[in-house]
Amino acid sequence: MDKTRFTGHLHDAAAERPFRFIPPSRAHPTWELPAPFPELLDQLTYATVDDCQQCRPALLDRVAGDARATLELVTWACFITSENYCGIPSELVAGNEASDAPFRASPTFRTLARQYGAHGRIQDTACTHRTAAQRREAADTAVTLVAGLSRWSADFLYQ
């Protein structure tokens, strides 16, 4: 399989990074996403970690086109966040970040994160009732959050 088919170049585990990182497909091997979405979510996450502005927009568009892929990505980000902070921090659901906060969650992500924080899961239909633009903003927030937590751990939201 050509791993460069989504981006034209490769973003993968072999890249030199100053921190440890586990891609979504290895963190959640039980996902029941049809091909090519597990690989696509990995590529999006690696492109975000690598800060590749060439690849991220196209990959975000592909993920946002599929409600299930977006739901899995947001759920994964909420799980990782909850593990890091022993719950979902209020900054991610209430929008009460400091004015100089380096990270702001999108409105759609906040709505989905509230659901995850209250129930430990997001309803399966939560993303199907969103537009592609809303799913894209939620996916962008999710993958940016995971990349930030991978790089800076719990300090990410409070830099």
Side-chain angles (χ1 to χ4, degrees), residues 143-155:
V143 76
T144 301
L145 179 59
V146 169
L149 290 171
S150 295
R151 183 169 288 155
W152 292 291
S153 192
D155 290 341

Side-chain angles (χ1 to χ4, degrees), residues 84-85 148-149 152-159:
N84 270 278
Y85 297 106
L149 290 171
W152 292 291
S153 192
D155 290 341
F156 177 60
L157 292 181
Y158 307 106
Q159 292 183 30

Side-chain angles (χ1 to χ4, degrees), residues 70-91:
T70 305
L71 173 69
E72 295 294 352
L73 183 63
V74 172
T75 300
W76 180 59
C78 287
F79 173 78
I80 290 170
T81 301
S82 186
E83 290 292 306
N84 270 278
Y85 297 106
C86 296
I88 301 291
S90 65
E91 291 85 357

Side-chain angles (χ1 to χ4, degrees), residues 46-81:
Y46 281 124
T48 302
V49 167
D50 294 343
D51 196 27
C52 182
Q53 297 306 311
Q54 175 185 344
C55 298
R56 278 188 88 235
L59 292 167
L60 279 167
D61 288 344
R62 291 280 309 268
V63 170
D66 187 89
R68 183 68 185 184
T70 305
L71 173 69
E72 295 294 352
L73 183 63
V74 172
T75 300
W76 180 59
C78 287
F79 173 78
I80 290 170
T81 301

Side-chain angles (χ1 to χ4, degrees), residues 110-129:
R110 283 189 184 117
T111 300
L112 299 172
R114 267 193 298 276
Q115 204 176 104
Y116 185 91
H119 307 290
R121 64 182 291 274
I122 302 170
Q123 290 178 343
D124 289 345
T125 58
C127 287
T128 57
H129 298 300

Side-chain angles (χ1 to χ4, degrees), residues 16-64:
E16 298 267 337
R17 294 184 181 89
F19 51 89
R20 187 166 186 250
F21 176 75
I22 300 171
S25 67
R26 288 211 309 261
H28 286 282
T30 60
W31 277 350
E32 294 180 12
L33 289 173
F37 287 104
E39 180 185 341
L40 187 64
L41 291 176
D42 286 356
Q43 286 291 305
L44 172 59
T45 307
Y46 281 124
T48 302
V49 167
D50 294 343
D51 196 27
C52 182
Q53 297 306 311
Q54 175 185 344
C55 298
R56 278 188 88 235
L59 292 167
L60 279 167
D61 288 344
R62 291 280 309 268
V63 170

